[in-house]
């Protein structure tokens, strides 16, 4: 008998609380914008933070409140931007896909005796914490002779959520098929080597050395010495030499690839002849100087 | 009057739920990164504790009348869970900023043992309705005091240059330990 009373009391208490809760859910009902869920569905859900908001739902909320523009999601690309624009009832601009580029060609190659045949020279053996920022602070400018080159301790590899960046022969390389262009790697690179470029289109300058020609040559076999041969041959006047480093103005560049053929250090990469991000690949036409 | 003052002193200081009895450590560690959210959490817990004390006093009368005291824990958990749900809905509707700041820790008040603890203490001590509610509110205020003190220490510790291996939770746990040690100084404190 007692057990029946217990069951009855507990059951009726549960029923009362249930009724109170269902009444409260009616009284305190909050209307949410149905577009928020739709926006969330458009986004890739990778929470890479490339847009500058805390995760995909943060960005969706910012778009809904009109605080953020559509098309900031590098991972979703054009498809995502158009879908979001359709939900918000606005027209989105075409978003071109960008991928990360590591502006360093100093991948180290050794002959069988252990002598450096090409790439950046090493000042000393760094045996500390395997992190680029830590390594860059050792001994003034890190273990590399080049003050601007890739240290190769893989800080970018650690932050990449897509497995698109790997260190090969001491220099980070981007796999363009996997890279979504969130640029999380750029934020952690202590040497600011990583920049966004359009994949399979650009001629790029894969070096960031601002040192004078002689110093660059001493530090690395594949460094931009600012010789200006590329500038002279460029039919579009798209190349400028600034602080001993060649730069391409992409609003003028028509991707003819002439600069890549004349570069004596072979650090200008033309994606028509080789894959971006493979610093060791030689141009097919070879230098014609 | 004296009883109320005694309860206030003991719940706030000498029998502080977090730092002396070690109840409700989960939100204490989780929501104490910023003073603002810590204060919000403290207020929410205070509110829930007072409400739970009042509701459970009534429920306990029914249980005692039917000789079902052994069901206290189960029934109290049920009541607390329902109250937390209602508070959650209320906050979502009227204070969305606080609702967002509290995040996942708000539903966690459901399983916050400090709330269940205060209700069971009320029953054990045989407090009447007024004293139960006062004990609940004072317990919640004690929680608020502890979490706000802790959050303000943590805000400073986060900016301090502490060794890499201690950053984050390790130093927070050490801080909590020192704070608890400080509160042990109140033990044995009785005015009347």
């Amino acid at each position: 008998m007692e057990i029946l009373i217990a069951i009855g009391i507990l059951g009726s208490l549960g029923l009362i609380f249930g009724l109170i809760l269902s009444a409260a859910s009616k009284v305190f009902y909050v209307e949410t914008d149905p577009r928020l869920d739709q926006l969330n569905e458009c986004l890739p859900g990778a929470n890479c933070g490339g847009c500058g908001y805390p995760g995909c739902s943060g960005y969706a909320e910012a778009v809904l409140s009109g605080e953020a523009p559509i098309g900031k999601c590098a991972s979703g690309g054009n498809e995502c931007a158009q879908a979001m624009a359709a939900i918000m009832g606005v027209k989105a601009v075409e978003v071109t896909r960008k991928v990360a580029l590591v502006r360093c060609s100093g991948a180290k190659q050794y002959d069988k005796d252990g002598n450096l045949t090409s790439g950046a020279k090493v000042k000393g053996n760094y045996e500390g914490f395997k992190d680029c920022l830590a390594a860059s602070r050792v001994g003034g400018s890190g273990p590399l002779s080049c003050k601007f080159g890739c240290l190769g301790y893989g800080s970018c590899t650690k932050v990449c959520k897509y497995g698109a960046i790997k260190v090969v022969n001491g220099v980070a390389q981007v796999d363009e098929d996997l890279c979504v262009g969130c640029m999380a790697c750029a934020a952690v690179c202590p040497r600011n080597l990583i920049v966004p470029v359009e994949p399979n289109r650009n001629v790029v300058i894969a070096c960031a050395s601002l040192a004078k020609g002689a110093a660059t040559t001493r530090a690395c076999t594949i460094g931009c010495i600012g010789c200006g041969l590329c500038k002279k041959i460029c039919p579009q006047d798209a190349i400028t030499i600034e602080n001993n480093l060649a730069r391409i103005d992409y609003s003028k560049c028509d991707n003819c690839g002439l600069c890549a053929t004349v570069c004596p250090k072979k650090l200008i990469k033309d994606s028509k002849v080789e894959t971006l991000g493979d610093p060791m690949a030689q141009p097919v036409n070879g230098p014609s100087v | 009057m004296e009883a109320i003052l005694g309860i206030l002193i003991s719940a706030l200081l000498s029998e502080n739920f977090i730092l002396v009895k070690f109840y409700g450590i989960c939100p204490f560690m989780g929501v104490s990164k910023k003073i603002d959210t810590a204060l919000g959490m403290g207020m929410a817990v205070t509110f829930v504790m007072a409400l739970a004390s009042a509701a459970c006093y009534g429920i306990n009368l029914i249980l005692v009348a039917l000789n079902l005291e052994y069901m206290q824990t189960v029934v109290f958990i049920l009541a607390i869970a329902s109250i937390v749900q209602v508070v959650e809905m209320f906050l979502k509707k009227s204070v969305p900023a606080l609702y967002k700041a509290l995040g996942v820790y708000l539903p966690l008040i459901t399983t916050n043992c400090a709330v269940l603890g205060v209700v069971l203490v009320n029953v054990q001590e045989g407090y009447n309705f007024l004293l139960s509610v006062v004990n609940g509110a004072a317990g919640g205020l004690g929680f608020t005091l502890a979490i706000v003190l802790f959050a303000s220490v943590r805000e400073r510790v986060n900016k301090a240059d502490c060794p890499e291996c201690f950053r984050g939770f390790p130093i927070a746990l050490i801080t909590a330990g020192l704070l608890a040690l400080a509160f042990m100084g109140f033990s044995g404190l009785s005015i009347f």
Side-chain angles (χ1 to χ4, degrees):
Chain A
M1 190 59 208
E2 203 181 327
I3 189 85
L4 287 180
I5 295 174
I7 293 170
I9 289 292
L10 204 60
S12 50
L13 275 175
L15 190 68
I16 292 166
F17 287 132
L19 286 174
I20 293 172
L21 277 183
S22 63
S25 73
K26 287 265 161 23
V27 175
F28 298 121
Y29 180 69
V30 181
E31 263 185 58
T32 48
D33 200 321
R35 289 180 298 174
L36 190 64
D37 290 332
Q38 293 175 347
L39 286 174
N40 268 323
E41 266 173 40
C42 286
L43 290 165
N47 295 321
C48 67
C51 52
Y53 289 90
C56 291
S57 57
Y59 177 56
E61 271 171 39
V63 167
L64 193 66
S65 64
E67 187 188 311
I70 288 167
K72 283 198 122 188
C73 181
S75 173
N78 196 34
E79 202 180 304
C80 157
Q82 300 304 332
M84 289 177 83
I87 293 165
M88 296 299 291
V90 292
K91 220 169 143 43
V93 284
E94 200 73 12
V95 178
T96 46
R97 185 170 166 251
K98 293 264 173 100
V99 294
L101 168 84
V102 181
R103 295 185 298 146
C104 180
S105 306
K108 294 174 259 308
Q109 303 262 308
Y110 298 93
D111 63 12
K112 56 180 187 304
D113 301 329
N115 300 317
L116 189 78
T117 54
S118 90
K121 285 175 193 137
V122 178
K123 277 196 295 200
N125 242 350
Y126 172 70
E127 289 184 349
F129 193 54
K130 294 273 175 277
D131 176 81
C132 294
L133 184 60
S136 73
R137 288 188 174 160
V138 171
S141 61
L144 278 186
S145 296
C146 176
K147 282 185 189 169
F148 304 93
C150 178
L151 293 151
Y153 291 103
S155 291
C156 45
T157 311
K158 277 173 219 148
V159 295
C160 184
K161 291 191 178 170
Y162 304 92
I165 191 160
K166 286 196 180 65
V167 176
V168 180
N169 290 337
V171 167
Q173 289 187 359
V174 177
D175 183 332
E176 291 190 6
D177 296 329
L178 293 176
C179 180
V180 299
C182 71
M183 304 313 289
C185 48
V188 296
C189 181
R191 302 204 145 170
N192 290 325
L193 287 177
I194 308 178
V195 291
V197 292
E198 287 177 31
N200 303 321
R201 179 189 171 272
N202 288 131
V203 173
V204 295
I205 291 170
C207 181
S209 172
L210 302 179
K212 290 216 167 80
T216 304
T217 312
R218 274 202 297 279
C220 179
T221 62
I222 320 176
C224 180
I225 50 175
C227 66
L229 284 176
C230 47
K231 184 184 171 187
K232 278 179 209 143
I233 203 161
C234 181
Q236 307 293 328
D237 285 333
I239 300 185
T240 48
I241 309 283
E242 219 177 288
N243 296 329
N244 308 308
L245 178 64
R247 286 151 210 262
I248 300 179
D249 180 353
Y250 285 113
S251 60
K252 292 184 190 159
C253 175
D254 67 349
N255 295 293
C256 67
L258 275 176
C259 48
T261 64
V262 298
C263 178
K265 297 281 186 180
K266 301 182 200 91
L267 56 86
I268 305 187
K269 311 292 178 207
D270 183 353
S271 54
K272 290 199 291 293
V273 261
E274 56 180 320
T275 329
L276 282 186
D278 183 0
M280 290 323 294
Q282 301 290 320
V284 180
N285 342 22
S288 61
V289 202
Chain B
M1 195 60 215
E2 278 174 18
I4 290 176
L5 208 60
I7 285 173
L8 270 175
I9 296 287
S10 75
L12 271 173
L13 301 173
S14 58
E15 294 289 320
N16 189 295
F17 273 95
I18 289 185
L19 295 171
V20 179
K21 288 187 175 170
F22 305 118
Y23 292 167
I25 298 298
C26 169
F28 180 66
M29 298 306 295
V31 207
S32 56
K33 288 212 181 82
K34 275 202 212 138
I35 295 180
D36 293 351
T37 46
L39 194 63
M41 184 75 190
M43 287 300 149
V45 169
T46 308
F47 185 60
V48 169
M49 273 188 176
L51 218 58
S53 299
C56 290
Y57 179 79
I59 292 166
N60 191 44
L61 286 184
I62 303 174
L63 293 183
V64 171
L66 293 167
N67 279 329
L68 289 174
E69 284 100 334
Y70 61 90
M71 299 283 282
Q72 274 167 350
T73 312
V74 182
V75 175
F76 289 167
I77 289 174
L78 185 71
I80 291 165
S82 315
I83 291 166
V84 171
Q85 285 294 313
V86 175
V87 170
E88 190 181 347
M89 288 180 210
F90 172 76
L91 283 182
K92 197 174 178 184
K93 172 93 176 175
S94 29
V95 203
L98 183 59
Y99 175 77
K100 246 183 152 177
L102 293 178
V104 69
Y105 294 101
L106 191 55
L108 278 182
I109 302 179
T110 314
T111 50
N112 185 341
C113 48
V115 181
L116 185 63
V118 87
V119 173
L120 289 174
V121 165
N122 288 343
V123 173
Q124 272 167 17
E125 300 284 325
Y127 288 148
N128 63 24
F129 182 76
L130 179 68
L131 290 184
S132 290
V133 176
V134 168
N135 191 32
L141 287 175
F143 179 94
T144 312
L145 177 72
I147 199 171
V148 169
L149 280 176
F150 184 52
S152 55
V153 175
R154 257 183 106 174
E155 273 191 2
R156 283 168 191 234
V157 166
N158 272 346
K159 285 179 191 133
D161 183 24
C162 84
E164 181 86 32
C165 53
F166 283 117
R167 278 196 198 142
F169 270 102
I171 193 76
L173 288 166
I174 293 170
T175 311
L178 289 175
L179 212 55
L181 213 58
F183 267 68
M184 287 293 178
F186 293 117
S187 63
L189 176 76
S190 59
I191 294 181
F192 305 104

